[in-house]
C-alpha cells in the first residue's frame, strides 16, 4: 500500500430528510477502508450551539456517548467505534457551539487585534484550523468528517463554506464530498422518485459544493436507469451513484456498499494506486449470526424512563445485538416503562411473561425510580437474570438496602437530600460543583475485579477500564451491612475506595455496574458483561421452557 503524504479527507453530508443514516454510512465506509489496510478516523461536526450534547435531554438528542477521555459526544461516535473498532476522543466531535465559544474567547482575549469578528472569515477559519489540526495530530491516511443536519439548514452553512474552501485549497485528490440522499418509492406509481435528490444536490450546489459521490438511500434497489438519471441531473458519473437500500440490520450496510463498489470509487478518486482486497469474513459471519442465529431467541426487558424514544438507549441496544450474535441467539427487546410498575395493581408476572432478563438503564432524576426498584426486587426474588447500569446499579443498591438490609426508606441523595440511609451519595468533590456541563465523573477509569465473581467469569482478568458518566457513588458506610446481606463488591477502584461492581452471591446472574459497559461493546469484540448477561438469559429461558413443558404435561386441561 502506497501511503499518501498528507491525510486525505472525506466529507459526508446528508440531504432531503434527516435520519437517513449518515453516521452508519460514515462508519461503514471507514470500516471498509480500514479493512483494506488504510488508517482511518471518523469525526462528527454538529451544527447546534450547545458546547456538547452533555446537558441535552435524551428526548432531544438520544444517548450521550462518552469517550475514554471523558468527552460527552454525539451518539454517532458510538457507531464509529463499533464499526471501526477504534476509540474516538474529545476532538472527534466538534459542535458549532464550541467553534463560536473559541472565536468569542479569542475575541475577548484580543487575539483578533481590533478586527470586526465575523462568520466569514473568523468562524470559517476556526473550523478549517480545527480540521487541519485534527488531520495533523494523527497518523492517518483518511479522515472522514460527517456534517450533522440536513442540507438547507441555516446553522450548518459555516461548516459547508469551510469545506468548500478546503476543497479549493487542497484539490479534488485530497478532499472528497459524499452526499447521502433519499430516493422515495411511491407505491401508487410503483416508482422510485429522483426529484428530491435532484433538489438536494441543487441546494448543495448553492453552497458551492458539487458532490463527488451520491449515496442514495431507498426502500428498493436502484436500477441502472435510475442511477443514470440521478447522475445525469446531478452532474455525477453514474458509477458514482451508489445505491443503499434498506437492510435487515445496519451491520449489513458495509457489505452492501462493498457490492456497490463505494470504497473502490473513493480510493480511485483520492488517487490511491494499490490497495488490498478487504477481508470481511468475520463481519459476514457476524451478520449471519444476527440474521439467523442457531439457538433461537431470548427476550430481554429494558426498564427505563425514555422508553418511547429508543435512541436514548442506542449503545445498549447495539450491545445486545453483539451479545446475541456471540451467544447465537436473537435478542428481542421489550422496553418497560419504569413508571408503570409504580401502580399497586401492576402485575409483574403478567407484564414480564416471556422475559428472560431485566436490564435497568442509566438515567438522571427521580421519575420512575420507585418502578425501577420494584422491577429489581422482582428480578432478585425470582432469580431472573438482572443487569443494572449506572443508575440501574444505584437502584439495585437502594432496593437491597430497603428489602434485605432492613434500611427502610434508604435512597440516593439525588432523589432525597435528607434521607436517613443515603446508600448512594454525592462524591465529596462533587458537592462544591455548581456548573452542569462536563462536571460529572466522566471517561475511562480502572477497576479491579475480584476473582471467583460473576464479573471475573465474564472479563477473565483482574484489571479492566470502563467509561463513566455520573455524579453519585455507592456510600462506603454501608459496605459491611451489604456484605452481610449477601452482596459481593466484585469491582472497585484500584485504591478500593469506589464501588464499581456489585453482585449477588446467591443468584443466577445479578450484576450492577457503576460504569457504562455499553459504550465499549464492538461488533467483533462483544462486551464481556453483555455476553455473560445474555448467556444467563439464554440458560434461564431454557430452564423456564423445560418447566413449562413439565407443567403442561402434568396439569389437567381446565374445565370450561
Ligand atoms: N444519576 C446518577 C448519577 O449521576 C446515574 C447517572 C447515570 O446513570 N449515567 O450518579
Amino acid at each position: 500500500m502506497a501511503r499518501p503524504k498528507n491525510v486525505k479527507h472525506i466529507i459526508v453530508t446528508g440531504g432531503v430528510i434527516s435520519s437517513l443514516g449518515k453516521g452508519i454510512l460514515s462508519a461503514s465506509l471507514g470500516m471498509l477502508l480500514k479493512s483494506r489496510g488504510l488508517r482511518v478516523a471518523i469525526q462528527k461536526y454538529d451544527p447546534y450551539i450547545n458546547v456538547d450534547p452533555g446537558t441535552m435531554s435524551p428526548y432531544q438528542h438520544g444517548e450521550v456517548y462518552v469517550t475514554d477521555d471523558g468527552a460527552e459526544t454525539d451518539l454517532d461516535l458510538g457507531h464509529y467505534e463499533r464499526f471501526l473498532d477504534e476509540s474516538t476522543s474529545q476532538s472527534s466531535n466538534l459542535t458549532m457551539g464550541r467553534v463560536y465559544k473559541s472565536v468569542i474567547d479569542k475575541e475577548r482575549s484580543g487575539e483578533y487585534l481590533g478586527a470586526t469578528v465575523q462568520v466569514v472569515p473568523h468562524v470559517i477559519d476556526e473550523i478549517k484550523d480545527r480540521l487541519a489540526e485534527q488531520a495533523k495530530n494523527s497518523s492517518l491516511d483518511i479522515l472522514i468528517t460527517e456534517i450533522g443536519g440536513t442540507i438547507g439548514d441555516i446553522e450548518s452553512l459555516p461548516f459547508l463554506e469551510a469545506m468548500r474552501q478546503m476543497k479549493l485549497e487542497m484539490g479534488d485528490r485530497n478532499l472528497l464530498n459524499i452526499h447521502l440522499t433519499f430516493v422515495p418509492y411511491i407505491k401508487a406509481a410503483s416508482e422510485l422518485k429522483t426529484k428530491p435528490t435532484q433538489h438536494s444536490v441543487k441546494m448543495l450546489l448553492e453552497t458551492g459544493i458539487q458532490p463527488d459521490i451520491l449515496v442514495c438511500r431507498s426502500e428498493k434497489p436502484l436500477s441502472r436507469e435510475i442511477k443514470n438519471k440521478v447522475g445525469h441531473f446531478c452532474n455525477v458519473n453514474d458509477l458514482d451513484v451508489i445505491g443503499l437500500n434498506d437492510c435487515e440490520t445496519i451491520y449489513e450496510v458495509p457489505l452492501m456498499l462493498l457490492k456497490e463498489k463505494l470504497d473502490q470509487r473513493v480510493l480511485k478518486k483520492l488517487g490511491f494506486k494499490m490497495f488490498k482486497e478487504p477481508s470481511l469474513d468475520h463481519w459476514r459471519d457476524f451478520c449471519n449470526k444476527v440474521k439467523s442465529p442457531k439457538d433461537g431467541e431470548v427476550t430481554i426487558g429494558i426498564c427505563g424512563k425514555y422508553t418511547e424514544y429508543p435512541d436514548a438507549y442506542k449503545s445498549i441496544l447495539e450491545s445486545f445485538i453483539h451479545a446475541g450474535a456471540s451467544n447465537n441467539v436473537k435478542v428481542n427487546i421489550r422496553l418497560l416503562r419504569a413508571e408503570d410498575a409504580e401502580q399497586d395493581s401492576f402485575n409483574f408476572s403478567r407484564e414480564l411473561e416471556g422475559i428472560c432478563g431485566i436490564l435497568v438503564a442509566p438515567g438522571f432524576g427521580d421519575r420512575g425510580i420507585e418502578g425501577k426498584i420494584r422491577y429489581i426486587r422482582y428480578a432478585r426474588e425470582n432469580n431472573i437474570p438482572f443487569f443494572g447500569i449506572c443508575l440501574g446499579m444505584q437502584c439495585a443498591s437502594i432496593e437491597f438496602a430497603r428489602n434485605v438490609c432492613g434500611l427502610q426508606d434508604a435512597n440516593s441523595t439525588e432523589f432525597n437530600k435528607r434521607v436517613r440511609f443515603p446508600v448512594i451519595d454525592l462524591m465529596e468533590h462533587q458537592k462544591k460543583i455548581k456548573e452542569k456541563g462536563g462536571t460529572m465523573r466522566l471517561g475511562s477509569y480502572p477497576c479491579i475485579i475480584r476473582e471467583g465473581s460473576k464479573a471475573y467469569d465474564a472479563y477473565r482478568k483482574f484489571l479492566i477500564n470502563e467509561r463513566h458518566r455520573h455524579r453519585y457513588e455507592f456510600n462506603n458506610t454501608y459496605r459491611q451491612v451489604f456484605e452481610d446481606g449477601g452482596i459481593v463488591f466484585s469491582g472497585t477502584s484500584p485504591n478500593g475506595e469506589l464501588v464499581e461492581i456489585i453482585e449477588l452471591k446467591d443468584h443466577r446472574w445479578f450484576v450492577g455496574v457503576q460504569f457504562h459497559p455499553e459504550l465499549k461493546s464492538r461488533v467483533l469484540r462483544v462486551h464481556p458483561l453483555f455476553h455473560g448477561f445474555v448467556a444467563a438469559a439464554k440458560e434461564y429461558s431454557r430452564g423456564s421452557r423445560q418447566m413449562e413443558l413439565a407443567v403442561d404435561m402434568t396439569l389437567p386441561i381446565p374445565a370450561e
Side-chain angles (χ1 to χ4, degrees):
M1 159 74 60
R3 296 203 178 277
K5 280 194 212 81
N6 302 319
V7 178
K8 306 223 175 199
H9 292 269
I10 298 174
I11 311 297
V12 178
T13 53
V16 185
I17 50 171
S18 58
S19 303
L20 287 179
K22 284 193 302 291
I24 304 288
L25 167 63
S26 308
S28 303
L29 176 59
M31 181 281 239
L32 288 179
L33 296 173
K34 184 181 172 189
S35 70
R36 284 183 177 274
L38 287 154
R39 296 167 302 186
V40 186
I42 317 177
Q43 59 171 355
K44 173 101 191 260
Y45 281 6
D46 274 312
Y48 48 76
I49 305 294
N50 303 59
V51 168
D52 63 40
T55 50
M56 280 159 124
S57 156
Y59 284 122
Q60 297 264 321
H61 196 265
E63 158 194 279
V64 172
Y65 191 79
V66 180
T67 56
D68 279 332
D69 61 354
E72 295 176 283
T73 70
D74 186 85
L75 59 72
D76 273 320
L77 271 72
H79 293 308
Y80 308 161
E81 291 205 4
R82 288 186 281 270
F83 278 64
L84 211 56
D85 198 6
E86 301 277 351
S87 292
T88 55
S89 68
Q90 172 78 73
S91 63
S92 315
N93 191 195
L94 179 66
T95 68
M96 197 62 87
R98 211 176 270 278
V99 173
Y100 277 111
K101 188 169 185 299
S102 134
V103 169
I104 291 169
D105 287 348
K106 283 183 187 167
E107 187 274 330
R108 290 289 82 186
S109 65
E111 269 186 58
Y112 295 116
L113 300 172
T116 307
V117 180
Q118 292 177 300
V119 173
V120 182
H122 302 97
V123 170
I124 306 297
D125 284 350
E126 181 69 30
I127 298 169
K128 284 162 63 183
D129 290 348
R130 295 285 185 120
L131 190 69
E133 213 175 293
Q134 181 77 342
K136 198 175 72 200
N137 291 341
S138 46
S139 49
L140 289 176
D141 298 316
I142 293 182
L143 176 60
I144 301 176
T145 304
E146 177 194 344
I147 312 274
T150 311
I151 294 306
D153 296 346
I154 293 174
E155 56 265 34
S156 51
L157 285 175
F159 282 140
L160 298 175
E161 172 58 10
M163 298 309 137
R164 183 193 70 78
Q165 293 187 14
M166 292 286 279
K167 177 128 173 151
L168 192 67
E169 288 161 22
M170 301 172 92
D172 287 346
R173 288 247 147 168
N174 292 310
L175 191 145
L176 196 73
N177 284 309
I178 299 184
H179 189 50
L180 173 65
T181 72
F182 184 47
V183 178
Y185 177 73
I186 305 297
K187 243 198 210 134
S190 308
E191 258 186 274
L192 287 168
K193 292 293 185 189
T194 64
K195 196 67 89 191
T197 295
Q198 296 179 39
H199 281 299
S200 179
V201 171
K202 218 181 236 173
M203 242 188 292
L204 190 58
L205 281 169
E206 279 171 23
T207 70
I209 294 178
Q210 163 68 51
D212 298 293
I213 293 178
L214 285 173
V215 178
C216 300
R217 173 85 191 268
S218 68
E219 214 178 298
K220 310 239 172 210
L222 259 58
S223 64
R224 181 58 39 214
E225 285 118 296
I226 294 280
K227 285 186 176 178
N228 285 343
K229 191 170 170 186
V230 170
H232 183 71
F233 286 112
C234 300
N235 252 336
V236 168
N237 184 331
D238 54 5
L239 291 176
D240 296 324
V241 179
I242 305 292
L244 176 57
N245 51 295
D246 298 354
C247 303
E248 220 179 299
T249 150
I250 54 166
Y251 297 108
E252 277 185 302
V253 171
L255 304 176
M256 185 169 292
L257 294 175
L258 180 77
K259 230 199 264 148
E260 290 278 309
K261 302 191 167 63
L262 172 64
D263 54 333
Q264 289 189 37
R265 297 303 296 166
V266 164
L267 292 174
K268 187 163 189 303
K269 283 173 180 292
L270 288 176
F272 286 91
K273 293 254 155 38
M274 299 175 338
F275 39 85
K276 70 172 175 99
E277 282 304 308
S279 54
L280 298 176
D281 291 350
H282 292 309
W283 198 277
R284 278 199 190 89
D285 188 44
F286 169 81
C287 287
N288 290 338
K289 280 194 185 138
V290 171
K291 289 193 322 184
S292 22
K294 291 206 173 54
D295 293 349
E297 35 191 88
V298 293
T299 302
I300 301 280
I302 298 182
C303 169
K305 67 172 179 178
Y306 305 111
T307 44
E308 316 85 307
Y309 191 52
D311 263 8
Y313 305 119
K314 191 82 207 161
S315 291
I316 294 179
L317 298 175
E318 297 306 318
S319 303
F320 275 123
I321 296 179
H322 310 161
S326 66
N327 279 287
N328 237 319
V329 289
K330 179 173 188 306
V331 178
N332 301 315
I333 298 293
R334 210 183 298 163
L335 294 170
L336 310 167
R337 235 168 65 100
E339 288 144 293
D340 292 347
E342 290 175 358
Q343 312 299 326
D344 282 341
S345 57
F346 191 80
N347 184 331
F348 282 91
S349 64
R350 197 177 55 217
E351 298 294 333
L352 291 176
E353 211 184 304
I355 283 186
C356 302
I358 298 172
L359 180 144
V360 174
F364 295 83
D366 63 357
R367 182 163 67 85
I369 288 299
E370 293 304 323
K372 290 182 179 175
I373 292 173
R374 292 187 73 194
Y375 266 116
I376 296 168
R377 179 174 193 173
Y378 191 81
R380 181 177 56 75
E381 291 180 346
N382 292 283
N383 209 7
I384 300 170
F386 165 80
F387 195 10
I389 298 187
C390 207
L391 179 64
M393 172 270 198
Q394 298 177 353
C395 288
S397 307
I398 298 169
E399 191 280 320
F400 193 79
R402 288 184 191 172
N403 301 320
V404 179
C405 305
L407 304 172
Q408 257 171 30
D409 304 324
N411 215 333
S412 160
T413 49
E414 180 177 3
F415 316 127
N416 181 354
K417 295 266 169 297
R418 271 188 277 273
V419 64
R420 190 154 151 233
F421 303 115
V423 287
I424 304 292
D425 198 8
L426 267 190
M427 292 179 277
E428 224 23 70
H429 75 274
Q430 284 285 351
K431 292 188 177 157
K432 290 166 243 128
I433 296 174
K434 293 274 172 304
E435 280 215 359
K436 289 273 180 270
T439 54
M440 284 185 257
R441 181 181 179 208
L442 287 166
S444 182
Y445 286 87
C447 166
I448 305 289
I449 305 287
R450 185 193 275 206
E451 203 173 359
S453 61
K454 295 265 181 349
Y456 187 83
D457 284 349
Y459 285 103
R460 300 248 151 236
K461 49 184 175 178
F462 294 111
L463 177 66
I464 56 153
N465 286 283
E466 292 284 2
R467 298 182 193 172
H468 292 247
R469 182 174 186 251
H470 56 104
R471 287 201 163 78
Y472 294 82
E473 296 279 355
F474 185 88
N475 183 343
N476 288 332
T477 319
Y478 299 95
R479 272 210 208 177
Q480 193 56 54
V481 203
F482 270 57
E483 271 175 344
D484 295 345
I487 284 278
V488 176
F489 294 100
S490 54
T492 59
S493 56
N495 64 6
E497 264 166 35
L498 299 172
V499 170
E500 307 286 35
I501 311 179
I502 62 167
E503 53 188 77
L504 265 182
K505 225 184 283 166
D506 300 320
H507 192 284
R508 190 189 300 274
W509 208 93
F510 188 105
V511 178
V513 294
Q514 187 55 84
F515 46 81
H516 290 267
E518 73 276 19
L519 303 177
K520 286 184 75 171
S521 188
R522 309 254 168 108
V523 172
L524 300 179
R525 242 164 359 110
V526 59
H527 192 284
L529 288 176
F530 274 91
H531 176 81
F533 178 51
V534 170
K538 185 175 162 184
E539 213 178 282
Y540 176 75
S541 102
R542 291 200 167 144
S544 59
R545 228 177 299 140
Q546 265 158 17
M547 259 166 60
E548 259 167 42
L549 278 177
V551 170
D552 275 356
M553 284 187 295
T554 49
L555 273 185
I557 297 163
E560 286 289 312

